[in-house]
Amino acid sequence: MSTGFFTPLKTKLGAGLCVKAFVLCLLGFAITACKNTVSIEPLQQQQTLKVITRIGPTTYYQDRHGPTGFEYMLALEFANELGMELEIISVDNLEDIFAALRNNQADIAAAGLSITDERKKSFRFSTPYQNSTPQLIYRSNIDQPKTIDDINNGKLLVVANSSHAEKLASLKKLHPELTWYETSKLDTGDLLEMLELGEIDYTIVDSNEFKVHRAYYRSARVAFDIAAPESIAWIMRKDVNQKLFDSMQKFLKSSKKNGMLAHLNERFFGPAEEVKQIGSRTFYKKMERRLPKYLPMIQKIADEYDMDWRLLAAISYRESHWKPRAKSPTGVRGMMMLTQITAKEMGVTNRLDAEQSLRGGAQYFKKIYKRVASTIEEPDRTWFALASYNVGRGHVEDARQITDFFGDNPNKWVDVKKHLPLLQRKAWYAYTKHGYARGAEPVRYVQHIRHYYDLLSWTYPTEQERLAAKATENLPVELEFEQASIDTNLLAPSPQLSNVL
Ligand code: GLU
């Protein structure tokens, strides 16, 4: 039975990635993280729980506070419950996951994996902790396929060894014409990016993963469900230590009961990461109703840290919409949505106290701002500081190196923001020092804050700006502001941003 494997495409992709990797190595990029070393000792009286996973926004990645991701957090809870250290082994393809399990190099695979008949032959599954439906995704500028037979005109690429490849192989029995490509070199994010760029026409993605990814790929659309919902579970070897297997089952069952799974699902798959109201109208409403109460406080604190208060106001709006009691499922709190760690570092004792939160946030921002490379000048300096505030300085530095590699200017935000989203692509992040990051997020974060900052500046110009505006435009000041605020409604995202939103 043919798997639909198509060599020319694979060769092309493989070659492309090798060249990129080679050049990046020459450029001195540190090769890290992606394939961590895998210890091969057999499990004995172990202190460490070895969990193998794949890097991605739904599994495991680093943000500005360290490692995170649904699978990571769940595995960490389990290790804690066992009183063991957690060792995460991250690989970049499913084949390596199964090989590591077979070779006794990992105890558990926790990687959003579906229970399938093929896999059941060799492995043991935990009780499912999620359901997900594999969906055919197509690019919006082509006709929406309605049935499996409609996709033969285009290029369908899926991850090799995935449940999707297995499903296609079984569909082939009923639809002999069905052809597709498989790759073990790329992951879901890469495939969606290729789809966006028109390099492929279709791919298959689990519905829960697509929910998280879709904000970044504007033209990716669901055509139809390729199969019934599949159960997602952790996987172990068949000859696994029975005690460990039983503990895992007990842990997952109690996580369902005590709401921990629901909490993690909400945190990583919920709407938290959706693009938030960039709309000027909402902003203006809140500016009229909420800002006046906090304005003197924001101005006072901005003064203390030698900041433009409109920037502090824009950041706090982006963080919490000026709600001092704001909470997010990720555990950040308050007006500036500080984490517990940052709050502690900045001497904040009560994150829900508006003044403390604003002061902590301003101080933290200033600290990051001072560390921005000295080669970067204003106003870019502020945008880089904001990006680091959002995603972490290390990732921004990685993106600056990639920018340099492309011959663009690593000191210019307009150039670096083009390349930040590459940190989501394995072909790039694998060769950076700090690895995977949701690179499109700081781009949006900075874009939103700049937008709010502009709106605030139009409404609250400094005396200097007022005079300058008056001098250049021969218009009464009030009228000028009215025009400016109408214009802002027409603001379109930059072309780079529209690629990733
Ligand atoms: N649920 C899919 C599987 O088990 C996820 C694989 C993927 O998206 O790469 O294979």
Side-chain angles (χ1 to χ4, degrees):
M1 183 175 50
S2 157
T3 59
F5 187 89
F6 188 83
T7 318
L9 176 67
K10 188 171 182 198
T11 312
K12 195 178 133 216
L13 287 169
L17 295 178
C18 287
V19 172
K20 236 188 249 177
F22 178 68
V23 178
L24 286 168
C25 289
L26 281 183
L27 282 172
F29 272 64
I31 298 183
T32 53
C34 189
K35 276 200 181 180
N36 293 348
T37 43
V38 177
S39 126
I40 39 170
E41 293 132 18
L43 289 170
Q44 285 161 358
Q45 268 311 66
Q46 57 180 76
Q47 309 282 317
T48 312
L49 181 71
K50 293 180 188 169
V51 173
I52 190 155
T53 190
R54 57 191 165 112
I55 297 172
T58 57
T59 46
Y60 167 68
Y61 62 97
Q62 303 263 343
D63 68 9
R64 67 176 140 141
H65 310 297
T68 186
F70 178 91
E71 296 289 2
Y72 172 76
M73 297 308 286
L74 194 59
L76 189 64
E77 288 290 338
F78 181 42
N80 285 344
E81 193 158 303
L82 295 174
M84 289 165 94
E85 289 276 322
L86 173 67
E87 182 184 334
I88 284 283
I89 304 160
S90 55
V91 291
D92 51 16
N93 63 73
L94 298 182
E95 204 171 291
D96 285 355
I97 291 186
F98 298 121
L101 277 183
R102 276 197 198 95
N103 300 335
N104 213 354
Q105 293 165 322
D107 305 318
I108 301 175
L113 297 169
S114 310
I115 302 180
T116 71
D117 291 342
E118 259 324 293
R119 289 172 181 171
K120 267 198 226 157
K121 289 181 193 158
S122 329
F123 300 103
R124 210 167 166 191
F125 285 91
S126 74
T127 176
Y129 53 83
Q130 252 176 9
N131 283 319
S132 199
T133 309
Q135 297 179 313
L136 184 83
I137 310 296
Y138 74 106
R139 204 178 43 260
S140 59
N141 64 355
I142 60 175
D143 287 342
Q144 174 176 0
K146 297 277 191 301
T147 72
I148 198 79
D149 297 313
D150 293 343
I151 62 182
N152 283 333
N153 307 331
K155 219 183 266 172
L156 164 62
L157 179 63
V158 298
V159 174
N161 295 297
S162 64
S163 55
H164 313 145
E166 198 178 317
K167 185 72 202 168
L168 286 171
S170 79
L171 282 170
K172 177 107 181 147
K173 292 178 194 153
L174 297 170
H175 306 265
E177 298 295 300
L178 184 62
T179 38
W180 68 93
Y181 308 74
E182 291 180 14
T183 171
S184 55
K185 298 236 183 307
L186 303 170
D187 57 25
T188 309
D190 296 322
L191 297 187
L192 288 170
E193 179 121 5
M194 289 178 73
L195 185 98
E196 186 87 16
L197 297 173
E199 291 166 15
I200 57 170
D201 303 302
Y202 313 112
T203 186
I204 299 174
V205 180
D206 284 347
S207 51
N208 59 355
E209 288 201 40
F210 187 64
K211 237 162 77 177
V212 174
H213 280 280
R214 81 181 151 201
Y216 308 123
Y217 304 100
R218 257 160 73 107
S219 40
R221 300 273 188 285
V222 177
F224 54 83
D225 296 347
I226 204 99
E230 292 175 349
S231 300
I232 308 284
W234 283 355
I235 306 188
M236 285 181 165
R237 272 184 317 285
K238 281 215 157 154
D239 62 350
V240 70
N241 170 337
Q242 185 63 35
K243 243 169 117 186
L244 188 62
F245 184 83
D246 293 342
S247 317
M248 171 180 75
Q249 295 294 71
K250 207 169 135 212
F251 165 76
L252 288 175
K253 282 176 191 157
S254 73
S255 309
K256 256 181 237 170
K257 270 208 197 119
N258 65 24
M260 202 235 305
L261 265 174
H263 170 80
L264 288 179
N265 270 315
E266 166 56 26
R267 174 166 167 186
F268 292 102
F269 296 95
E273 301 299 338
E274 293 286 312
V275 180
K276 279 204 182 130
Q277 300 140 323
I278 193 163
S280 315
R281 253 205 250 142
T282 318
F283 180 84
Y284 277 124
K285 235 192 272 160
K286 305 250 157 86
M287 192 168 75
E288 273 166 28
R289 292 186 197 155
R290 235 173 249 169
L291 182 63
K293 185 167 171 205
Y294 301 105
L295 190 67
M297 193 188 276
I298 292 176
Q299 286 173 326
K300 182 178 93 179
I301 291 164
D303 252 14
E304 285 171 23
Y305 290 93
D306 194 22
M307 262 176 100
D308 182 336
W309 73 264
R310 298 167 304 184
L311 181 64
L312 185 57
I315 301 174
S316 48
Y317 178 78
R318 176 60 169 76
E319 294 289 351
S320 69
H321 282 200
W322 298 314
K323 279 196 269 190
R325 304 192 67 77
K327 270 187 196 170
S328 108
T330 57
V332 294
R333 297 268 184 284
M335 193 77 132
M336 292 291 276
M337 296 301 244
L338 302 176
T339 60
Q340 240 161 5
I341 300 169
T342 308
K344 203 164 164 211
E345 206 184 316
M346 299 297 125
V348 172
T349 51
N350 178 5
R351 288 185 291 167
L352 302 184
D353 177 301
E355 183 159 353
Q356 283 202 33
S357 180
L358 281 163
R359 187 168 282 116
Q363 192 185 336
Y364 185 54
F365 175 77
K366 255 332 232 219
K367 186 176 153 189
I368 288 170
Y369 180 85
K370 284 193 189 130
R371 295 185 66 203
V372 173
S374 58
T375 43
I376 302 174
E377 289 172 5
E378 276 299 349
D380 295 74
R381 223 181 146 68
T382 299
W383 315 144
F384 278 96
L386 284 172
S388 302
Y389 187 87
N390 177 254
V391 76
R393 185 170 175 266
H395 291 308
V396 175
E397 283 308 307
D398 288 345
R400 290 183 68 224
Q401 288 200 33
I402 296 175
T403 306
D404 196 31
F405 168 72
F406 275 101
D408 287 336
N409 187 343
N411 296 324
K412 290 284 169 216
W413 175 246
V414 65
D415 284 356
V416 175
K417 78 171 184 181
K418 272 196 301 206
H419 304 297
L420 259 163
L422 290 180
L423 297 179
Q424 284 167 197
R425 294 192 76 172
K426 194 168 58 205
W428 290 95
Y429 72 65
Y431 304 101
T432 62
K433 190 161 171 207
H434 301 91
Y436 175 88
R438 293 169 147 192
E441 270 178 34
V443 178
R444 283 189 317 200
Y445 185 78
V446 174
Q447 177 84 355
H448 288 191
I449 289 177
R450 288 177 68 170
H451 180 54
Y452 303 138
Y453 177 76
D454 286 346
L455 300 185
L456 281 159
S457 305
W458 276 311
T459 314
Y460 298 95
T462 59
E463 196 45 34
Q464 221 177 359
E465 285 163 356
R466 203 174 249 275
L467 292 172
K470 223 173 172 179
T472 45
E473 308 266 337
N474 225 352
L475 288 168
V477 173
E478 294 316 316
L479 178 57
E480 187 193 348
F481 294 146
E482 219 172 277
Q483 283 188 333
S485 37
I486 292 165
D487 283 352
T488 57
N489 287 327
L490 303 174
L491 273 186
S494 69
Q496 290 84 8
L497 192 68
S498 52
N499 279 341
V500 294
L501 279 180

